[in-house]
Amino acid sequence: MNFFEAQERARKSSRLLVWWFILSVIGVIAVMYILAQLFLQTGGDIQNFNGGQLKTGWWDPGVAAGTSGIVGGVIMLGSWFKLAQLSGGGKVVASSLGGRQVEPTTTDLPERRLLNIVEEMAIASGLPVPEVWIMDQERGINAFAAGTDPANAVIGVTRGTLERLTREELQGVVAHEFSHILNGDMKLNMRLMGWIFGLVMLSMLGRMLLESFRFMRGSKDSKGNGVVIAIVLAGLGVWLVGSVGVLFARLLQAAISRQREYLADASAVQFTRNPEGISGALKKIGGFAEHGKISSPKAMEARHMFFAGSGFSAMMATHPPLSKRILAIDPNWKGTMLEGKADPITREEMAGFSGFSGSTAADISAEPVQDRLADLGDSDGMDSRVGTRIREELRAGKVTSFSREEAKVLLLGLLVAADADSREVAERILFEEGVEAQSIGSILTWSEDLKDYTAAKKLALVDLSLSWLRKMSRDEARDFARASKSLIEADGEVNLFEFMLQKVIERHVEIGLGLKAVPNMRHRSLSSLEKEISHVLHTLAALGGGADSLKQAAVEYREHVGRDLVQVEVNLGEVSKALYEMDASTPLVKQQILRLCGLVVVEDGKVDDGELVLLRAVAEAIGAPIPPIVRQMM
């Protein structure tokens, strides 16, 4: 499965979702219009309604306009409110479902196991480590991914998931949720959640009016009784119309979600190289009395996000039947569901040596780097065992755990290490930026420890630190971004690693914390990015084999665009401007850009650290995560 193609399908589904939403709104308005006409022209007296004929006919432009304005306004206002709320990222959803964020320093063994798995998946996919949340009150086996961008994504699981699934099965579930992040489902699901809230707003208002009846009963005044009756009738009418909105909302959830679950299951198998993991999790859901039940009152509006569905009719179900999902993964399955609990957590596992279905680091695919670069975005090119190995190597060294301050110190230390000749200048800049003396000492110490790390290990450290950086307040994030920018510009030059780290901070700190907006999509073909692509490809070529490195990429570019690459001078400033424009591309255009970059990198038969760093910078800047494709070089 290609994640960029899946993102493109999600984008097109989003357009289809808009039309379904509009039709749903029209349907709700139509029902409300009919009820309004009946009430207005009969005065509430059903005897005036004769054979379906009203006094002035069924059509009344004034009533239609009023109904459309009121009903449409309520729905759109509700949707806008919810979408604005959800713009805070996945933690908004996790918190509303009763979740609790797991601290990366937790000593709870099941939680530690979950964090290790999430870190492995993040490193293997090239994504920042998402926040992890646990719904402690939920005993069913279920999970979800939520967020508007990978920079603010969260992975949530129920307590029952930790208590019932083995490490292998938990890996399958987490891989399934990561595929939702990578293929664009997560963003689509968040949008769907906002629109669904708008559709059910009328039902909520109707219930509120009916609830208010309890506090109005018992009046002896005839006018008071008339008001009560009017409120009850209005509430009942609004609730009935709102129920139509709820019906449309449930149908929308079901229509969008089902096929995507099959795709996520298949991606999880490719990601973990282990079909028994996710199939075992599905079988345990089927064999457990609680199944995938979520008891939170907010679960209904988020049910399309969960790993396992709830007990609705086939038409309303957001997920395919468990049996069909299991058979798609395990065609030889005989229909037997599983019971049982999680396997014991060993000391070796907590020490970092987790293993993968009997596999060792030596078993990791030896597929040539050139082949992997040529197929960026394919899920079968993302091996979670690679993430396991890198995490174990990092944990076996000095990097054992993080705090928010330690993550900041680490990244600033990486910046100082990238320009080791300017340590005194860096110390002065940090002091001027208000960094405490103790932190400055730690930054300089880290810079010495990290200067000999390979680019791949440095990138993995960046990935592991990002979840901590997202815990910063906005003011703290602004200070951190300013300090990092001052370090980068200290010597008047920007080297490749500084450039890459700048793009990481822009994406995952500034965008992740809402300090900077993601550009609106406006480029739907390579032809509209002619100069930008030329700047990036020529820069990559200059780092590697020179002009000869452009041959294969130039041929493929000509096939797409019908013209040759533009000749440009190599300049990181121009590359930065180019990447900003590329970020406004469709997912398929981003895939084509990364593929062209990959072709330049592998043309000379080797991948240098500089090429890897710039390739990562390109991927970060355009919001297109790539796996750690050169881990074999470490």
Side-chain angles (χ1 to χ4, degrees):
M1 174 181 170
N2 187 286
F3 287 119
F4 293 103
E5 292 174 359
Q7 288 172 17
E8 184 69 12
R9 286 194 296 270
R11 189 178 69 86
K12 291 178 178 177
S13 293
S14 185
R15 289 206 301 263
L16 180 63
L17 179 61
V18 172
W19 286 109
W20 275 111
F21 178 69
I22 291 171
L23 290 175
S24 299
V25 173
I26 291 172
V28 174
I29 289 173
V31 173
M32 189 64 165
Y33 172 77
I34 292 170
L35 289 178
Q37 277 287 71
L38 285 171
F39 183 81
L40 290 172
Q41 297 205 35
T42 64
D45 186 358
I46 198 64
Q47 292 179 352
N48 289 331
F49 181 61
N50 183 23
Q53 298 296 318
L54 299 179
K55 294 176 181 179
T56 59
W58 280 101
W59 177 244
D60 185 324
V63 175
T67 304
S68 299
I70 294 172
V71 175
V74 169
I75 292 174
M76 299 307 291
L77 186 64
S79 296
W80 175 83
F81 169 78
K82 192 65 175 181
L83 288 170
Q85 188 182 49
L86 294 174
S87 66
K91 62 184 178 183
V92 176
V93 177
S95 178
S96 71
L97 292 169
R100 167 183 61 84
Q101 186 177 354
V102 180
E103 294 296 334
T105 53
T106 180
T107 56
D108 179 88
L109 292 183
E111 293 177 7
R112 185 72 258 162
R113 166 183 277 180
L114 174 62
L115 288 177
N116 288 348
I117 291 172
V118 171
E119 284 182 358
E120 293 160 9
M121 297 292 175
I123 294 171
S125 63
L127 287 170
V129 181
E131 291 182 0
V132 178
W133 289 64
I134 293 178
M135 294 175 280
D136 289 307
Q137 306 306 314
E138 305 290 353
R139 297 299 166 186
I141 302 173
N142 225 322
F144 67 91
T148 59
D149 187 272
N152 60 34
V154 307
I155 297 286
V157 304
T158 61
R159 177 57 64 179
T161 301
L162 295 183
E163 293 175 348
R164 295 280 168 179
L165 300 188
T166 65
R167 191 182 205 279
E168 192 175 276
E169 292 160 351
L170 188 57
Q171 283 169 345
V173 172
V174 172
H176 174 104
E177 299 306 329
F178 261 86
S179 75
H180 282 312
I181 298 175
L182 284 161
N183 63 24
D185 290 345
M186 180 183 70
K187 187 173 183 179
L188 177 64
N189 285 340
M190 293 287 276
R191 188 172 298 165
L192 179 59
M193 190 175 182
W195 290 350
I196 284 171
F197 185 83
L199 286 172
V200 303
M201 270 286 287
L202 284 173
S203 177
M204 294 166 61
L205 288 174
R207 283 202 303 270
M208 288 170 62
L209 287 172
L210 290 173
E211 285 288 323
S212 68
F213 170 67
R214 292 186 305 170
F215 304 101
M216 293 182 168
R217 287 181 297 179
S219 173
K220 296 180 180 180
D221 186 279
S222 59
K223 290 184 179 180
N225 285 331
V227 171
V228 171
I229 293 170
I231 291 175
V232 171
L233 289 175
L236 186 60
V238 172
W239 178 78
L240 287 171
V241 174
S243 297
V244 176
V246 172
L247 174 64
F248 280 122
R250 302 298 170 243
L251 290 173
L252 268 175
Q253 281 180 311
I256 293 296
S257 301
R258 285 182 217 149
Q259 192 60 32
R260 298 187 175 281
E261 294 305 313
Y262 284 123
L263 294 175
D265 288 345
S267 297
V269 172
Q270 291 177 316
F271 208 2
T272 61
R273 305 298 196 272
N274 178 22
E276 294 180 2
I278 190 167
S279 65
L282 292 169
K283 291 170 188 175
K284 280 190 175 177
I285 291 172
F288 182 42
E290 294 288 332
H291 302 295
K293 180 183 176 182
I294 302 293
S295 57
S296 168
K298 297 287 187 179
M300 187 60 69
E301 63 188 61
R303 67 192 185 98
H304 57 288
M305 292 184 173
F306 286 105
F307 174 72
S310 50
F312 278 79
S313 65
M315 181 179 293
M316 297 289 206
T318 55
H319 293 62
L322 278 176
S323 57
K324 288 188 177 182
R325 290 176 68 182
I326 296 169
L327 283 170
I329 300 167
D330 181 8
N332 298 318
W333 180 57
K334 302 301 182 183
T336 304
M337 296 296 184
L338 299 177
E339 295 183 14
K341 293 190 176 182
D343 54 328
I345 299 175
T346 64
R347 181 178 299 178
E348 288 77 12
E349 180 181 337
M350 288 299 100
F353 305 102
S354 53
F356 250 90
S357 310
S359 301
T360 66
D363 297 322
I364 295 174
S365 172
E367 181 184 0
V369 175
Q370 291 87 338
D371 294 343
R372 306 190 98 185
L373 277 169
D375 294 307
L376 294 173
D378 284 334
S379 57
D380 57 3
M382 298 182 184
D383 192 335
S384 53
R385 294 172 295 178
V386 176
T388 303
R389 189 180 73 177
I390 294 170
R391 185 185 62 78
E392 289 172 357
E393 289 178 354
L394 292 173
R395 297 305 191 201
K398 183 177 178 180
V399 183
T400 55
S401 63
F402 285 121
S403 68
R404 186 177 64 197
E405 288 301 319
E406 287 168 342
K408 289 162 59 178
V409 164
L410 173 65
L411 287 191
L412 293 175
L414 282 169
L415 281 174
V416 176
D419 194 7
D421 294 334
S422 303
R423 283 173 54 87
E424 291 183 1
V425 175
E427 188 173 0
R428 174 180 56 79
I429 288 173
L430 291 169
F431 178 78
E432 291 173 352
E433 291 293 339
V435 180
E436 295 179 358
Q438 185 176 353
S439 295
I440 292 175
S442 298
I443 291 168
L444 297 177
T445 300
W446 267 114
S447 69
E448 283 295 316
D449 293 336
L450 297 171
K451 64 182 181 181
D452 295 326
Y453 272 42
T454 63
K457 276 189 177 180
K458 288 179 180 177
L459 294 177
L461 284 174
V462 170
D463 288 335
L464 290 175
S465 67
L466 289 176
S467 61
W468 278 106
L469 294 181
R470 289 197 295 273
K471 294 177 180 292
M472 293 188 292
S473 67
R474 288 193 171 193
D475 288 340
E476 191 178 1
R478 288 191 185 94
D479 292 342
F480 174 76
R482 189 177 63 247
S484 61
K485 186 177 180 181
S486 297
L487 283 176
I488 289 170
E489 297 174 350
D491 58 357
E493 297 179 355
V494 179
N495 63 41
L496 276 175
F497 192 84
E498 291 172 333
F499 180 75
M500 182 278 301
L501 205 51
Q502 185 179 42
K503 296 306 170 188
V504 169
I505 292 170
E506 286 177 2
R507 189 89 203 174
H508 299 292
V509 176
E510 297 183 34
I511 290 180
L513 292 174
L515 301 179
K516 185 177 179 181
V518 179
N520 292 324
M521 200 173 293
R522 56 182 177 272
H523 298 297
R524 289 174 167 76
S525 68
L526 292 177
S527 58
S528 65
L529 292 164
E530 189 173 20
K531 187 176 292 186
E532 289 80 6
I533 291 171
S534 293
H535 275 294
V536 172
L537 296 186
H538 278 90
T539 303
L540 276 169
L543 292 170
D548 290 342
S549 298
L550 286 169
K551 288 180 180 178
Q552 193 174 350
V555 170
E556 190 157 316
Y557 177 83
R558 193 181 305 115
E559 291 174 356
H560 284 297
V561 178
R563 296 187 296 274
D564 290 330
L565 283 169
V566 178
Q567 293 298 315
V568 294
E569 293 183 6
V570 174
N571 184 310
L572 275 183
E574 292 299 323
V575 171
S576 185
K577 295 176 185 176
L579 294 177
Y580 178 80
E581 283 299 315
M582 290 176 177
D583 193 18
S585 305
T586 65
L588 281 182
V589 172
K590 290 179 180 180
Q591 181 194 18
Q592 292 167 346
I593 291 169
L594 284 181
R595 176 171 167 77
L596 291 173
C597 292
L599 291 173
V600 175
V601 169
V602 302
E603 181 72 25
D604 61 357
K606 62 181 185 297
V607 181
D608 297 326
D609 270 7
E611 293 172 313
L612 169 63
V613 168
L614 183 56
L615 188 61
R616 174 64 184 269
V618 172
E620 290 290 354
I622 67 176
I626 57 173
I629 47 182
V630 294
R631 299 307 191 198
Q632 301 98 318
M633 298 167 57
M634 294 168 53

